[in-house]
Amino acid sequence: MPTKSKIIYTLTDEAPALATASLLPIIRTFASSADIEVDLSDISLAARILAAFPERLTEEQRVEDGLAFLGDLAKDPDANIIKLPNISASVPQLRAAITELQEQGYDVPEYIENAQTDEEKEAKSRYAGILGSAVNPVLRQGNSDRRAPAAVKAFARKHPHSMGKWSKSSRSHADYMRGGDFFSSEQSVTMPEATDVRIEFVPNGGQPVLKKELSLEKGEVLDSMFMSAKALDAFFEDTLQDCKEAGVMWSLHVKATMMKVSHPIVFGHAVRVFYREVFDKYGELFEQLGVNPNNGMSSVYEKIKSLPQSTQDEIEEAIHACYEHRPEMAMVDSVKGITNLHIPSDVIVDASMPAMIRNSGQMWGRDGKQKDTKAVMPESTYARIYQEMINFCKTNGAFDPTTMGSVPNVGLMAMKAEEYGSHDKTFEIQADGTMRVVKADGTVLMQHEVEKGDIWRACQTKDAAIRDWVKLAVNRSRQSDTPAIFWLDQERAHDLELTKKVKEYLKEHDTEGLDITIMSYNEAIRVSMERLIRGLDTISVTGNVLRDYLTDLFPIMELGTSAKMLSIVPMLAGGGMYETGAGGSAPKHVQQVMQENHLRWDSLGEFLALGVSLEELGIKKGNVRAKVLATALDKATERLLENGKSPSRKAGELDNRGSHFYLALYWAQEVAAQAEDADLAAEFKPLADALTQNEQTIVDELNAVQGKPAELDGYYHANLDTVFKVMCPSTTFNKILDDFKK
Amino acid sequence: MPTKSKIIYTLTDEAPALATASLLPIIRTFASSADIEVDLSDISLAARILAAFPERLTEEQRVEDGLAFLGDLAKDPDANIIKLPNISASVPQLRAAITELQEQGYDVPEYIENAQTDEEKEAKSRYAGILGSAVNPVLRQGNSDRRAPAAVKAFARKHPHSMGKWSKSSRSHADYMRGGDFFSSEQSVTMPEATDVRIEFVPNGGQPVLKKELSLEKGEVLDSMFMSAKALDAFFEDTLQDCKEAGVMWSLHVKATMMKVSHPIVFGHAVRVFYREVFDKYGELFEQLGVNPNNGMSSVYEKIKSLPQSTQDEIEEAIHACYEHRPEMAMVDSVKGITNLHIPSDVIVDASMPAMIRNSGQMWGRDGKQKDTKAVMPESTYARIYQEMINFCKTNGAFDPTTMGSVPNVGLMAMKAEEYGSHDKTFEIQADGTMRVVKADGTVLMQHEVEKGDIWRACQTKDAAIRDWVKLAVNRSRQSDTPAIFWLDQERAHDLELTKKVKEYLKEHDTEGLDITIMSYNEAIRVSMERLIRGLDTISVTGNVLRDYLTDLFPIMELGTSAKMLSIVPMLAGGGMYETGAGGSAPKHVQQVMQENHLRWDSLGEFLALGVSLEELGIKKGNVRAKVLATALDKATERLLENGKSPSRKAGELDNRGSHFYLALYWAQEVAAQAEDADLAAEFKPLADALTQNEQTIVDELNAVQGKPAELDGYYHANLDTVFKVMCPSTTFNKILDDFKK
């Protein structure tokens, strides 16, 4: 018998928490056969509030601090955590939870925005650790491993999503700078020893100004680069002229949300160039009004509201005059007249480009019709991959989800790697001069001559993160028996530094029989796509930005969405976290339960995450039964999808509970049918038989409770016993599960 | 001192022969310093006639059979032949030469087409060996080595030809079949032993019909494949519909001249599909008239001339009606109304595609304007490379001749390799059935189910040719210190067979330090282009068709023409042939000499060929001086180009002779200036000085003879002494050369 193992299943909020109550008994039943315990760890908003104020609660009221527990566990090599979506609490949500807890008799304090007393301040400070995205930063202690699970892939092949046809004559393309961008100015150094450096700006003829101090680790890679504001403006103007001449629509694709310092500035440049005459004429007025072009044209429309109507009309006329001589611009919402330049967060490159490519390479024009488009992405580093894919689709037609292979990703994410950790080291230059990175001893490591308006930034990548990423790539390649390509551009300073490390760290692993190569981005995507249309899989091993881009790009082609991807964070310490689903915790679904006792949360993400969680346990602990359970679960999930046993939207039909029953049925049947572990098959035979024979009875029992309100004894802090009772209403099903555990 | 070496310089016809008289004394003078003899071998049309009838000539009139001599020499490892363009005699040319020889007192017989007597028949038979392309087949005893010489490349970089700008929004593309073509049906076998096979057709339910018998050598590769007529027609219809919808011009690119059996049939299909209604309505009438759509619409226009005017008008109206619902077709001559489908030899893919790509990806429409075009090339095997280049130009813009690298070629050409030797094994299928290749013992090696109208063909590739090709690739890579890529598509049956051989034969060579790889066509061209725009060279090592295509494609981008390429045939036996120039022997230039004693033949090809001829001698014989002369000659050629010392078109200005003087001047100066062989430099110093000091005198003397008629004592068989006198009129120059030889 293998060592006793444990899976930590997070108890979160709202719909996922309700679904957990239905699914957990099944998981526990099945896992017990492989000697695996499944423990709940409560990181719901309510639990986090209670954990923050133990001194105000009675002994019985006190709860374990689940997040602290998981934070510690993340550093344990044995960690195996299934992480469900939780509430990233806004202030109103926090206040509602507090009120509910108080009503239940918990003496938690009010959240007072304008805290005065020490007590209020202390409470506010503790609540600050609970508000917003408080969970992920604690748990995501590693690099990223994302892939389309076999079951999902098989389903997509049989039931493909729609894909827009590509014309060989399409005029659509990606356009990017050929100089003056971050790519062309990038410098990169690796620290031979731990080093303190300072980033400073030396204005021409002036004294150095300290911008930032950094303590770098041994082996850490530090990059610096800048984008020329002049080159950027010239590029935008060129793209606009080119579109006007060619009669092609213009659109801008940046990532102002994630690249929250640099990209809004880039966006602002586009706004000022497109509406050049408006800003030339009203620039001073706009400044007085506080217009910020980095916030898009919405900022203009909002700020000019304070002006007399006649001035407003004049400005709006000037804006419309721009449209006369500019090319047509892609619309975000043609009905409402929302253009591509309205708000910087409307068009996010990693989502918008796959959508455009899936849509025949077209975006929507002012008339609501889709048209060929120039997709403008100033920074050339990553934009080139989209042009590659566009060329590929022109040549080979749209991808075919029914036959195409897959491109999983192993991404360098840990320890705020690369550009995604650069926000506190990004500066818009205020005067002509020199930006430089200087060691404590005065040695200049890197420097750039910059001009007013240029965007300068530095990025860090820690050695430990890189080393782990290489390990993860080798493991994934081995475990999937799939070729892996490190996307490293040999014309990029940063990637040259990484290439050295990758080559070095690859030696630490047994790569015998594996196909692991290093290719430039263009070559890598091309090879991956050539394989893709031949039904072959290729692991992309990429930096942080490409991780983000590719885990939308390929899934959207393959599956129609990136939400069905398996998202694993193998912790640096050796443990693993398996994230489920994408996005929120579906409060609307809870309402439906309260009104008509029907839950339509789709647990697909949990099924998938559990599959890898079990698989990993099997591999790490030599637990053959865990591996068998994992394989059987994937097959069960596939059958569930295939047979349409996901929750219906309508009360009285199959809901979450029924869907879970079918998962149990198929899962038991698959375990009973497999030949790898005959004992286990024999053990599961009676369970499979019992579930098969009682299918109709159980489904009827599960559906019978629907149609009338359900009482959960709380919303944020429901009574767990009550919830379990509501979510497990079939006595037949409950008994079969109980009997199996003996 | 190295062994005495010999260069054989061919004496041919017309302008090249006159130029030889001017250049040869210079070459002999320079070569003597490296102990190299330069012998003339007369393979002019007149000499070949005289050699054919020795028994009718006096002792003094008899000439050596130059072609027989060269044919033997081609099998000698020491062969070093510089081959100038010669007359591929048509019957009128042959008759004119016979008459001239008879007038000069040579008793050569008449050429009688309708020979009756035995004597006449014998004469006709001997003349048959002289007519047409009689020289190249005898001499081309090897694979092909083509590259842009350094001097030409340097000149093109400084004085770039025009290149049409590419729009990123261009709609132009290459389109090709995705099934049903030769590529998708290709089968290939390698003979383990010498084997006799027969190609036979078995009609459904019938007896086998022998189509061809072949004796295959040990290790020979035999391929078979077919193109489906139905799939071809459907493809053409699709491309036409697609163009119509997309508003893009349609054009067809095949190679009906070289692929003289298969491609006219393909062309005929296009004609019948484009003008479907015409052929539907008048098909029977056309058949009676002997219209052959394989000869293009010109055949229709020609044959219907015999019909009454009213019927002609009716048919022409029907033709015009087709244009109404078909997309616009690319024109060969928009002024004369000559379309792409008029004559099969007008648009030849290897020339037309580079022209289109150089011309912004556009061809000419009916209105004489250039427009984006769908280039239709049914067979996908090779068409894909053009789509790759088009995508590349859309992404990166037009190639820049001032900075781009070069793609030399090593081509598998020997022993009628591959498709280019398939004409006698190509069949248009007459009924549904099976085409098969059967061994003498009855074993079926390959077979295809075919339908009436399908085009089936077999191709041979001899082991010795492949082995030599691999050797040539390694040598070229070594000598040029340039990476070499074998273009072998791993999804192509033939290329898989070749890949095995290439891998095997590469082991026979020292490839230490060389960068030799095998890539699919798409990958190979992509890598080559990525290197190209970074100024890097990559040798393409290809089969026979790609040899032909690429030695136009890249030179036209790099140099604006393929005529300036160095064309070397390293003989299988070990010797070398160096071909000069492209195309004919310029009879118009001879007229100009006869009228005003001005020769404007451009000897650039000879300079280049001589350079490699010397270089090869230097390498093979360890003749350092030959290598020094070769290097100096290349530099001299570069200076000659740079200083504009090529022949002018106008009498009284620098002509061929003056150009040759400048070559001698620069060449002598370069040898005198080099440091590799100090003795040789010292020897050349006086020559260089004398030429430098007498530049004006010599140029004056050379130009002074111009403006009045020159007497050559014959056209096909001019008096050689007279020719030398006419072509070497500067006593100063002659004396300096004589003095140097001591």
Side-chain angles (χ1 to χ4, degrees), chain A residues 543-568:
Chain A
N544 212 350
V545 177
L546 283 175
R547 170 196 63 77
D548 194 16
Y549 289 12
L550 297 191
T551 55
D552 273 322
L553 182 58
F554 288 111
I556 286 173
M557 302 303 144
E558 295 175 32
L559 314 173
T561 167
S562 57
K564 292 181 180 170
M565 293 291 277
L566 208 53
S567 180
I568 303 171

PDB file of all heavy atoms in Angstrom, chain A residues 543-568:
ATOM      1  N   GLY A 543       8.198  32.449 -21.969  1.00  0.00           N
ATOM      2  CA  GLY A 543       8.249  33.466 -20.936  1.00  0.00           C
ATOM      3  C   GLY A 543       6.834  33.866 -20.516  1.00  0.00           C
ATOM      4  O   GLY A 543       5.846  33.311 -20.995  1.00  0.00           O
ATOM      5  N   ASN A 544       6.773  34.849 -19.630  1.00  0.00           N
ATOM      6  CA  ASN A 544       5.524  35.185 -18.949  1.00  0.00           C
ATOM      7  C   ASN A 544       4.475  35.800 -19.888  1.00  0.00           C
ATOM      8  O   ASN A 544       3.293  35.472 -19.787  1.00  0.00           O
ATOM      9  CB  ASN A 544       5.831  36.146 -17.792  1.00  0.00           C
ATOM     10  CG  ASN A 544       4.881  35.957 -16.621  1.00  0.00           C
ATOM     11  OD1 ASN A 544       3.887  35.245 -16.730  1.00  0.00           O
ATOM     12  ND2 ASN A 544       5.196  36.583 -15.500  1.00  0.00           N
ATOM     13  N   VAL A 545       4.915  36.660 -20.790  1.00  0.00           N
ATOM     14  CA  VAL A 545       3.956  37.306 -21.689  1.00  0.00           C
ATOM     15  C   VAL A 545       3.409  36.294 -22.694  1.00  0.00           C
ATOM     16  O   VAL A 545       2.197  36.199 -22.901  1.00  0.00           O
ATOM     17  CB  VAL A 545       4.608  38.495 -22.420  1.00  0.00           C
ATOM     18  CG1 VAL A 545       3.616  39.101 -23.417  1.00  0.00           C
ATOM     19  CG2 VAL A 545       5.065  39.556 -21.428  1.00  0.00           C
ATOM     20  N   LEU A 546       4.316  35.532 -23.288  1.00  0.00           N
ATOM     21  CA  LEU A 546       3.856  34.524 -24.237  1.00  0.00           C
ATOM     22  C   LEU A 546       2.979  33.481 -23.555  1.00  0.00           C
ATOM     23  O   LEU A 546       2.054  32.941 -24.165  1.00  0.00           O
ATOM     24  CB  LEU A 546       5.049  33.855 -24.935  1.00  0.00           C
ATOM     25  CG  LEU A 546       5.702  34.676 -26.047  1.00  0.00           C
ATOM     26  CD1 LEU A 546       6.953  33.965 -26.570  1.00  0.00           C
ATOM     27  CD2 LEU A 546       4.734  34.921 -27.202  1.00  0.00           C
ATOM     28  N   ARG A 547       3.280  33.171 -22.310  1.00  0.00           N
ATOM     29  CA  ARG A 547       2.412  32.271 -21.546  1.00  0.00           C
ATOM     30  C   ARG A 547       0.983  32.787 -21.582  1.00  0.00           C
ATOM     31  O   ARG A 547       0.041  32.076 -21.922  1.00  0.00           O
ATOM     32  CB  ARG A 547       2.883  32.193 -20.087  1.00  0.00           C
ATOM     33  CG  ARG A 547       1.899  31.475 -19.149  1.00  0.00           C
ATOM     34  CD  ARG A 547       2.195  31.738 -17.673  1.00  0.00           C
ATOM     35  NE  ARG A 547       2.072  33.130 -17.290  1.00  0.00           N
ATOM     36  CZ  ARG A 547       0.916  33.764 -17.085  1.00  0.00           C
ATOM     37  NH1 ARG A 547      -0.233  33.112 -17.211  1.00  0.00           N
ATOM     38  NH2 ARG A 547       0.902  35.039 -16.758  1.00  0.00           N
ATOM     39  N   ASP A 548       0.870  34.069 -21.266  1.00  0.00           N
ATOM     40  CA  ASP A 548      -0.439  34.699 -21.206  1.00  0.00           C
ATOM     41  C   ASP A 548      -1.098  34.696 -22.587  1.00  0.00           C
ATOM     42  O   ASP A 548      -2.273  34.333 -22.730  1.00  0.00           O
ATOM     43  CB  ASP A 548      -0.219  36.129 -20.714  1.00  0.00           C
ATOM     44  CG  ASP A 548      -1.498  36.797 -20.290  1.00  0.00           C
ATOM     45  OD1 ASP A 548      -2.494  36.101 -20.087  1.00  0.00           O
ATOM     46  OD2 ASP A 548      -1.492  38.033 -20.188  1.00  0.00           O
ATOM     47  N   TYR A 549      -0.329  35.093 -23.611  1.00  0.00           N
ATOM     48  CA  TYR A 549      -0.879  35.196 -24.969  1.00  0.00           C
ATOM     49  C   TYR A 549      -1.250  33.813 -25.523  1.00  0.00           C
ATOM     50  O   TYR A 549      -2.321  33.615 -26.075  1.00  0.00           O
ATOM     51  CB  TYR A 549       0.133  35.853 -25.917  1.00  0.00           C
ATOM     52  CG  TYR A 549       0.348  37.335 -25.695  1.00  0.00           C
ATOM     53  CD1 TYR A 549      -0.127  37.989 -24.558  1.00  0.00           C
ATOM     54  CD2 TYR A 549       1.032  38.107 -26.629  1.00  0.00           C
ATOM     55  CE1 TYR A 549       0.074  39.342 -24.361  1.00  0.00           C
ATOM     56  CE2 TYR A 549       1.236  39.471 -26.446  1.00  0.00           C
ATOM     57  CZ  TYR A 549       0.763  40.082 -25.303  1.00  0.00           C
ATOM     58  OH  TYR A 549       0.959  41.422 -25.114  1.00  0.00           O
ATOM     59  N   LEU A 550      -0.340  32.868 -25.388  1.00  0.00           N
ATOM     60  CA  LEU A 550      -0.550  31.573 -26.044  1.00  0.00           C
ATOM     61  C   LEU A 550      -1.638  30.745 -25.373  1.00  0.00           C
ATOM     62  O   LEU A 550      -2.299  29.935 -26.035  1.00  0.00           O
ATOM     63  CB  LEU A 550       0.738  30.761 -26.079  1.00  0.00           C
ATOM     64  CG  LEU A 550       1.910  31.345 -26.865  1.00  0.00           C
ATOM     65  CD1 LEU A 550       3.006  30.303 -27.013  1.00  0.00           C
ATOM     66  CD2 LEU A 550       1.484  31.858 -28.220  1.00  0.00           C
ATOM     67  N   THR A 551      -1.820  30.946 -24.048  1.00  0.00           N
ATOM     68  CA  THR A 551      -2.847  30.144 -23.380  1.00  0.00           C
ATOM     69  C   THR A 551      -4.246  30.691 -23.641  1.00  0.00           C
ATOM     70  O   THR A 551      -5.239  30.134 -23.186  1.00  0.00           O
ATOM     71  CB  THR A 551      -2.585  30.030 -21.855  1.00  0.00           C
ATOM     72  OG1 THR A 551      -2.470  31.332 -21.307  1.00  0.00           O
ATOM     73  CG2 THR A 551      -1.333  29.236 -21.584  1.00  0.00           C
ATOM     74  N   ASP A 552      -4.312  31.800 -24.379  1.00  0.00           N
ATOM     75  CA  ASP A 552      -5.590  32.182 -24.989  1.00  0.00           C
ATOM     76  C   ASP A 552      -5.602  31.792 -26.460  1.00  0.00           C
ATOM     77  O   ASP A 552      -6.576  31.229 -26.948  1.00  0.00           O
ATOM     78  CB  ASP A 552      -5.819  33.692 -24.866  1.00  0.00           C
ATOM     79  CG  ASP A 552      -6.495  34.075 -23.563  1.00  0.00           C
ATOM     80  OD1 ASP A 552      -7.372  33.332 -23.121  1.00  0.00           O
ATOM     81  OD2 ASP A 552      -6.123  35.104 -22.984  1.00  0.00           O
ATOM     82  N   LEU A 553      -4.504  32.093 -27.144  1.00  0.00           N
ATOM     83  CA  LEU A 553      -4.474  31.948 -28.601  1.00  0.00           C
ATOM     84  C   LEU A 553      -4.792  30.522 -29.051  1.00  0.00           C
ATOM     85  O   LEU A 553      -5.729  30.296 -29.821  1.00  0.00           O
ATOM     86  CB  LEU A 553      -3.087  32.376 -29.126  1.00  0.00           C
ATOM     87  CG  LEU A 553      -2.890  32.339 -30.639  1.00  0.00           C
ATOM     88  CD1 LEU A 553      -3.903  33.229 -31.347  1.00  0.00           C
ATOM     89  CD2 LEU A 553      -1.466  32.756 -31.006  1.00  0.00           C
ATOM     90  N   PHE A 554      -4.026  29.561 -28.562  1.00  0.00           N
ATOM     91  CA  PHE A 554      -4.254  28.191 -29.034  1.00  0.00           C
ATOM     92  C   PHE A 554      -5.546  27.593 -28.494  1.00  0.00           C
ATOM     93  O   PHE A 554      -6.309  26.990 -29.263  1.00  0.00           O
ATOM     94  CB  PHE A 554      -3.035  27.314 -28.739  1.00  0.00           C
ATOM     95  CG  PHE A 554      -1.872  27.638 -29.635  1.00  0.00           C
ATOM     96  CD1 PHE A 554      -0.730  28.233 -29.150  1.00  0.00           C
ATOM     97  CD2 PHE A 554      -1.941  27.361 -30.994  1.00  0.00           C
ATOM     98  CE1 PHE A 554       0.331  28.547 -29.992  1.00  0.00           C
ATOM     99  CE2 PHE A 554      -0.892  27.658 -31.848  1.00  0.00           C
ATOM    100  CZ  PHE A 554       0.255  28.257 -31.341  1.00  0.00           C
ATOM    101  N   PRO A 555      -5.863  27.741 -27.192  1.00  0.00           N
ATOM    102  CA  PRO A 555      -7.136  27.203 -26.706  1.00  0.00           C
ATOM    103  C   PRO A 555      -8.342  27.753 -27.463  1.00  0.00           C
ATOM    104  O   PRO A 555      -9.297  27.014 -27.727  1.00  0.00           O
ATOM    105  CB  PRO A 555      -7.159  27.629 -25.240  1.00  0.00           C
ATOM    106  CG  PRO A 555      -5.725  27.721 -24.867  1.00  0.00           C
ATOM    107  CD  PRO A 555      -5.031  28.238 -26.087  1.00  0.00           C
ATOM    108  N   ILE A 556      -8.301  29.025 -27.820  1.00  0.00           N
ATOM    109  CA  ILE A 556      -9.459  29.585 -28.518  1.00  0.00           C
ATOM    110  C   ILE A 556      -9.607  28.949 -29.893  1.00  0.00           C
ATOM    111  O   ILE A 556     -10.714  28.720 -30.368  1.00  0.00           O
ATOM    112  CB  ILE A 556      -9.373  31.129 -28.548  1.00  0.00           C
ATOM    113  CG1 ILE A 556      -9.695  31.660 -27.145  1.00  0.00           C
ATOM    114  CG2 ILE A 556     -10.322  31.725 -29.590  1.00  0.00           C
ATOM    115  CD1 ILE A 556      -9.507  33.138 -26.956  1.00  0.00           C
ATOM    116  N   MET A 557      -8.480  28.626 -30.553  1.00  0.00           N
ATOM    117  CA  MET A 557      -8.570  27.904 -31.825  1.00  0.00           C
ATOM    118  C   MET A 557      -9.025  26.459 -31.591  1.00  0.00           C
ATOM    119  O   MET A 557      -9.859  25.934 -32.313  1.00  0.00           O
ATOM    120  CB  MET A 557      -7.203  27.863 -32.541  1.00  0.00           C
ATOM    121  CG  MET A 557      -6.586  29.207 -32.842  1.00  0.00           C
ATOM    122  SD  MET A 557      -7.657  30.253 -33.843  1.00  0.00           S
ATOM    123  CE  MET A 557      -7.284  31.858 -33.125  1.00  0.00           C
ATOM    124  N   GLU A 558      -8.449  25.840 -30.559  1.00  0.00           N
ATOM    125  CA  GLU A 558      -8.700  24.412 -30.342  1.00  0.00           C
ATOM    126  C   GLU A 558     -10.062  24.126 -29.720  1.00  0.00           C
ATOM    127  O   GLU A 558     -10.746  23.177 -30.099  1.00  0.00           O
ATOM    128  CB  GLU A 558      -7.625  23.828 -29.418  1.00  0.00           C
ATOM    129  CG  GLU A 558      -6.224  23.840 -29.988  1.00  0.00           C
ATOM    130  CD  GLU A 558      -5.220  23.357 -28.948  1.00  0.00           C
ATOM    131  OE1 GLU A 558      -5.580  22.505 -28.116  1.00  0.00           O
ATOM    132  OE2 GLU A 558      -4.071  23.844 -28.947  1.00  0.00           O
ATOM    133  N   LEU A 559     -10.414  24.946 -28.710  1.00  0.00           N
ATOM    134  CA  LEU A 559     -11.597  24.639 -27.890  1.00  0.00           C
ATOM    135  C   LEU A 559     -12.675  25.711 -27.963  1.00  0.00           C
ATOM    136  O   LEU A 559     -13.770  25.530 -27.422  1.00  0.00           O
ATOM    137  CB  LEU A 559     -11.185  24.483 -26.412  1.00  0.00           C
ATOM    138  CG  LEU A 559      -9.950  23.622 -26.124  1.00  0.00           C
ATOM    139  CD1 LEU A 559      -9.578  23.713 -24.655  1.00  0.00           C
ATOM    140  CD2 LEU A 559     -10.213  22.178 -26.526  1.00  0.00           C
ATOM    141  N   GLY A 560     -12.353  26.826 -28.606  1.00  0.00           N
ATOM    142  CA  GLY A 560     -13.321  27.912 -28.681  1.00  0.00           C
ATOM    143  C   GLY A 560     -13.294  28.816 -27.460  1.00  0.00           C
ATOM    144  O   GLY A 560     -13.929  29.860 -27.439  1.00  0.00           O
ATOM    145  N   THR A 561     -12.563  28.413 -26.440  1.00  0.00           N
ATOM    146  CA  THR A 561     -12.460  29.191 -25.200  1.00  0.00           C
ATOM    147  C   THR A 561     -11.204  28.759 -24.460  1.00  0.00           C
ATOM    148  O   THR A 561     -10.718  27.654 -24.651  1.00  0.00           O
ATOM    149  CB  THR A 561     -13.672  28.934 -24.288  1.00  0.00           C
ATOM    150  OG1 THR A 561     -13.386  29.462 -22.983  1.00  0.00           O
ATOM    151  CG2 THR A 561     -13.921  27.435 -24.113  1.00  0.00           C
ATOM    152  N   SER A 562     -10.709  29.640 -23.621  1.00  0.00           N
ATOM    153  CA  SER A 562      -9.561  29.229 -22.812  1.00  0.00           C
ATOM    154  C   SER A 562     -10.010  28.776 -21.424  1.00  0.00           C
ATOM    155  O   SER A 562      -9.207  28.338 -20.615  1.00  0.00           O
ATOM    156  CB  SER A 562      -8.548  30.377 -22.705  1.00  0.00           C
ATOM    157  OG  SER A 562      -9.176  31.511 -22.158  1.00  0.00           O
ATOM    158  N   ALA A 563     -11.323  28.858 -21.173  1.00  0.00           N
ATOM    159  CA  ALA A 563     -11.827  28.538 -19.836  1.00  0.00           C
ATOM    160  C   ALA A 563     -11.783  27.043 -19.535  1.00  0.00           C
ATOM    161  O   ALA A 563     -11.819  26.637 -18.382  1.00  0.00           O
ATOM    162  CB  ALA A 563     -13.263  29.039 -19.679  1.00  0.00           C
ATOM    163  N   LYS A 564     -11.708  26.219 -20.585  1.00  0.00           N
ATOM    164  CA  LYS A 564     -11.711  24.776 -20.349  1.00  0.00           C
ATOM    165  C   LYS A 564     -10.315  24.197 -20.197  1.00  0.00           C
ATOM    166  O   LYS A 564     -10.143  22.976 -20.194  1.00  0.00           O
ATOM    167  CB  LYS A 564     -12.429  24.076 -21.510  1.00  0.00           C
ATOM    168  CG  LYS A 564     -13.915  24.361 -21.560  1.00  0.00           C
ATOM    169  CD  LYS A 564     -14.572  23.625 -22.716  1.00  0.00           C
ATOM    170  CE  LYS A 564     -16.058  23.902 -22.759  1.00  0.00           C
ATOM    171  NZ  LYS A 564     -16.651  23.386 -24.002  1.00  0.00           N
ATOM    172  N   MET A 565      -9.313  25.086 -20.135  1.00  0.00           N
ATOM    173  CA  MET A 565      -7.938  24.600 -20.006  1.00  0.00           C
ATOM    174  C   MET A 565      -7.668  24.176 -18.570  1.00  0.00           C
ATOM    175  O   MET A 565      -8.173  24.768 -17.619  1.00  0.00           O
ATOM    176  CB  MET A 565      -6.953  25.715 -20.374  1.00  0.00           C
ATOM    177  CG  MET A 565      -6.978  26.108 -21.816  1.00  0.00           C
ATOM    178  SD  MET A 565      -6.332  24.822 -22.901  1.00  0.00           S
ATOM    179  CE  MET A 565      -4.570  25.171 -22.747  1.00  0.00           C
ATOM    180  N   LEU A 566      -6.833  23.200 -18.478  1.00  0.00           N
ATOM    181  CA  LEU A 566      -6.318  22.797 -17.184  1.00  0.00           C
ATOM    182  C   LEU A 566      -5.240  23.787 -16.791  1.00  0.00           C
ATOM    183  O   LEU A 566      -4.362  24.084 -17.586  1.00  0.00           O
ATOM    184  CB  LEU A 566      -5.681  21.435 -17.381  1.00  0.00           C
ATOM    185  CG  LEU A 566      -5.627  20.492 -16.227  1.00  0.00           C
ATOM    186  CD1 LEU A 566      -7.006  20.301 -15.637  1.00  0.00           C
ATOM    187  CD2 LEU A 566      -5.099  19.176 -16.767  1.00  0.00           C
ATOM    188  N   SER A 567      -5.325  24.313 -15.569  1.00  0.00           N
ATOM    189  CA  SER A 567      -4.344  25.304 -15.160  1.00  0.00           C
ATOM    190  C   SER A 567      -3.663  24.843 -13.886  1.00  0.00           C
ATOM    191  O   SER A 567      -4.268  24.842 -12.813  1.00  0.00           O
ATOM    192  CB  SER A 567      -5.048  26.642 -14.949  1.00  0.00           C
ATOM    193  OG  SER A 567      -4.121  27.605 -14.549  1.00  0.00           O
ATOM    194  N   ILE A 568      -2.436  24.459 -14.023  1.00  0.00           N
ATOM    195  CA  ILE A 568      -1.702  23.883 -12.898  1.00  0.00           C
ATOM    196  C   ILE A 568      -0.548  24.794 -12.514  1.00  0.00           C
ATOM    197  O   ILE A 568       0.128  25.335 -13.385  1.00  0.00           O
ATOM    198  CB  ILE A 568      -1.144  22.500 -13.294  1.00  0.00           C
ATOM    199  CG1 ILE A 568      -2.286  21.591 -13.740  1.00  0.00           C
ATOM    200  CG2 ILE A 568      -0.359  21.883 -12.144  1.00  0.00           C
ATOM    201  CD1 ILE A 568      -1.815  20.304 -14.352  1.00  0.00           C
TER     202      ILE A 568
END
